[in-house]
Amino acid sequence: MASEVNSNLEELKTSMENLNVQQQPSSSSRNDAASGNGVEVTCFTEVVDDVTLHLQIIHLGKQIYAWIGCNSGKLGHLYAAASTRPNNTASVTCVLGGNSDNSGTGIARRLVLKTGLNIMLASNIPKNSPLLEANAEKKLVEKLIHLGKDIVTVMTEVLSNISPPPGAVASISDASPVHYIVKIELFSLLAKNAVEKYESGVFKAGGYTWKLVLYPSGNKSRNVKDYISLYLAKVDASSLPLGWEVHVIFRLFLLDQNKDSYLVIQDAAGQERRFHGLKLEWGFDQLIQLSTFNDSRYGFLLEDTCMLGAEVFVRRERSRGVGEVLSMIKQPTAAFKHTWKIENFLKLDEKRQESQTFSSASEKWKIVLYPKGKDFGMGTHLSLYLAVDLETLPAGCRLYADYTLRIVNQVKDRKFDLSGKAKHWFGASTSESGWTRYVSLDYIYQPNNAYVIKGICIVEAEVNVLGISSPF
């Protein structure tokens, strides 16, 4: 890099040594690239308030060098200025001498913003000379825009034949994508081998991992045909906390191999796209028509080879506050049945009785019974409930369950069982569900009813979890 800068600097000095400065109000000369060295030099002089400004522009293909000499042929300070992505602002750095207080810094930055060109500027204009700065800048802008017409013409010709995707804009860039490039050889074989979708390797940008998703013949799931579809996708979203979201500006690239420049597609007006748990992919269904892509005049596909890429700029990120995820179970597993055999049932007092815990849908449950009743059933009815085990239930989690409780008839057919069926949301605040007046004590204690035989009562529970609500 240093050798390249030194080489360009030496070339700049040499061209200035060959400059014949004319002390007159206005003069101009031009050495066209037809001379065979590939360098186009424009020189002119302006007199402003008895101060002579010497100006020189050197056009080296894709690079523009400019020099402003104030009353002398000294080089002055040298600055490099370029457009910065993604917001197309201008950045300036000092290559030789000078600092941010020098007049050349502001001129270089404004030249980039006004012309859209990358600039190397040398200037020896004194500080605090706003009139000289303004006049020198005005003359340089006029000349640079004129020199830039060839570049603009090439861009216009390419873009005039390409319609950007809906809601997007297209531009031309000489710079390669900074984050990821994919080269595809024998592109036509993708369609021949029925490769409808190709996912690139994983790359990092802005502290996150991404990949490109290419549909070489169009995204059929979105009814796209005759176009190439290309998307940016977030990778490993499961490793991020629930409620995360990241806002990005991204640009997708296609290399024009004829001109060694890139067609750049991005959302209009630098629109940010929000990636989150339910939206992990953004891009363009109609990136480019296949007929245009396959046309060798545009250079996107030459010798059945193409190159595409991406740039991803994270603008902001956040993790939302408190919330929850409700997951309903589409095909619940068969209801789990648990049987509780209670001995010495007739000797039980009014105290709460609990079965051993049992599992259903990875959660623990138990049957709760009050032999002499509870609340409004106290002394007259047996109270029966299903309870979730709060010790094993994750904090903030709730379960929606379909359950059945029954007292088994130990002699007659099972159709004589005493059954109760219900659905309930179980959680920390409502861990139990059931019936305060499940069955009258007089009825269950009658020997002929066969619900208590030899002091034994049998209670069953069936539990089927239909949904889970979890916090984040």
Side-chain angles (χ1 to χ4, degrees):
M1 179 67 184
S3 60
E4 182 180 353
V5 171
N6 291 334
S7 175
N8 292 335
L9 183 58
E10 187 61 33
E11 188 172 9
L12 180 62
K13 290 180 178 178
T14 302
S15 64
M16 289 189 224
E17 290 173 359
N18 296 332
L19 174 62
N20 181 20
V21 177
Q22 301 292 329
Q23 299 291 339
Q24 55 185 4
S26 178
S27 64
S28 177
S29 64
R30 181 169 176 174
N31 174 25
D32 291 332
S35 61
N37 60 7
V39 178
E40 184 177 339
V41 181
T42 301
C43 309
F44 55 99
T45 301
E46 295 286 337
V47 176
V48 180
D49 292 338
D50 297 327
V51 176
T52 304
L53 294 176
H54 308 296
L55 301 105
Q56 183 183 66
I57 299 173
I58 305 172
H59 187 191
L60 298 175
K62 298 179 181 179
Q63 299 181 19
I64 298 292
Y65 290 75
W67 170 65
I68 305 172
C70 181
N71 283 334
S72 72
K74 292 182 179 180
L75 175 67
H77 305 302
L78 183 62
Y79 304 94
S83 177
T84 54
R85 295 174 283 193
N87 293 330
N88 293 324
T89 57
S91 295
V92 182
T93 186
C94 180
V95 178
L96 183 65
N99 54 55
S100 59
D101 295 329
N102 289 106
S103 60
T105 302
I107 296 176
R109 179 179 289 107
R110 290 189 295 271
L111 287 176
V112 171
L113 295 176
K114 291 179 179 180
T115 66
L117 302 172
N118 294 335
I119 303 293
M120 290 287 290
L121 174 69
S123 172
N124 64 10
I125 292 181
K127 291 173 58 177
N128 302 320
S129 304
L131 184 59
L132 291 178
E133 290 182 34
N135 279 278
E137 184 178 323
K138 178 181 178 182
K139 295 300 179 182
L140 281 176
V141 169
E142 293 174 354
K143 294 293 182 179
L144 287 173
I145 290 177
H146 177 71
L147 288 173
K149 284 183 178 179
D150 292 339
I151 299 174
V152 174
T153 299
V154 171
M155 294 174 60
T156 302
E157 289 176 353
V158 173
L159 296 178
S160 64
N161 292 300
I162 296 176
S163 298
V169 293
S171 61
I172 302 295
S173 174
D174 292 328
S176 302
V178 297
H179 291 134
Y180 202 68
I181 294 177
V182 179
K183 182 180 181 181
I184 303 177
E185 299 175 342
L186 298 177
F187 180 88
S188 61
L189 293 186
L190 293 175
K192 291 181 180 178
N193 291 323
V195 179
E196 295 185 356
K197 176 182 177 181
Y198 174 75
E199 297 183 1
S200 76
V202 175
F203 63 95
K204 290 186 177 181
Y208 294 90
T209 51
W210 311 88
K211 65 183 177 182
L212 292 175
V213 181
L214 170 71
Y215 294 82
S217 300
N219 188 347
K220 292 181 174 58
S221 65
R222 299 187 180 181
N223 298 318
V224 179
K225 59 181 181 179
D226 301 326
Y227 283 86
I228 288 177
S229 302
L230 184 61
Y231 308 92
L232 174 71
K234 180 71 188 71
V235 178
D236 292 335
S238 60
S239 64
L240 297 170
L242 290 174
W244 71 271
E245 59 181 45
V246 55
H247 297 245
V248 307
I249 294 175
F250 67 93
R251 295 148 52 97
L252 302 180
F253 290 68
L254 273 176
L255 176 63
D256 178 351
Q257 300 171 63
N258 290 333
K259 299 181 177 65
D260 192 27
S261 60
Y262 285 87
L263 171 67
V264 183
I265 305 295
Q266 67 183 108
D267 288 302
Q271 181 179 0
E272 296 179 359
R273 291 300 186 183
R274 183 169 65 98
F275 290 79
H276 53 88
L278 298 179
K279 182 63 175 178
L280 298 174
E281 187 176 282
W282 284 98
F284 305 104
D285 296 336
Q286 300 176 354
L287 183 78
I288 189 171
Q289 278 190 311
L290 279 170
S291 58
T292 302
F293 178 80
N294 292 322
D295 192 332
S296 61
R297 293 177 299 173
Y298 297 102
F300 300 125
L301 186 66
L302 293 182
E303 298 181 358
D304 210 13
T305 297
C306 68
M307 190 174 296
L308 50 90
E311 291 181 343
V312 184
F313 301 94
V314 174
R315 309 302 294 166
R316 53 196 174 99
E317 52 194 325
R318 69 175 181 175
S319 179
R320 291 191 295 272
V322 178
E324 66 181 80
V325 176
L326 171 60
S327 302
M328 298 303 294
I329 301 174
K330 186 176 182 180
Q331 293 180 331
T333 57
F336 181 87
K337 181 185 292 187
H338 177 73
T339 301
W340 181 21
K341 185 178 180 180
I342 308 173
E343 297 181 349
N344 298 316
F345 183 80
L346 297 175
K347 297 180 180 181
L348 296 177
D349 56 19
E350 70 278 2
K351 293 180 181 178
R352 174 188 175 104
Q353 304 293 321
E354 295 183 358
S355 72
Q356 292 184 338
T357 58
F358 57 94
S359 298
S360 179
S362 301
E363 301 300 338
K364 301 291 185 179
W365 306 84
K366 55 190 174 184
I367 304 171
V368 177
L369 180 144
Y370 291 85
K372 305 301 182 182
K374 177 186 177 184
D375 296 335
F376 296 111
M378 177 69 73
T380 60
H381 288 74
L382 179 146
S383 302
L384 190 62
Y385 304 90
L386 175 71
V388 66
D389 186 1
L390 294 179
E391 293 184 1
T392 59
L393 184 69
C397 184
R398 294 184 298 149
L399 305 173
Y400 185 55
D402 182 0
Y403 70 94
T404 300
L405 296 177
R406 63 175 63 91
I407 298 177
V408 176
N409 188 299
Q410 301 178 44
V411 175
K412 300 178 182 178
D413 190 275
R414 292 298 301 268
K415 67 181 181 180
F416 293 101
D417 291 349
L418 301 176
S419 297
K421 185 177 179 64
K423 294 179 180 178
H424 182 72
W425 277 103
F426 291 85
S429 61
T430 54
S431 61
E432 297 181 1
S433 176
W435 296 267
T436 302
R437 305 175 69 179
Y438 188 79
V439 62
S440 70
L441 297 178
D442 291 340
Y443 185 79
I444 194 174
Y445 287 151
Q446 289 183 12
N448 294 336
N449 289 337
Y451 296 114
V452 180
I453 296 180
K454 296 182 180 179
I456 296 175
C457 180
I458 299 175
V459 181
E460 288 183 348
E462 291 185 14
V463 184
N464 197 349
V465 177
L466 306 178
I468 302 174
S469 175
S470 303
F472 63 78

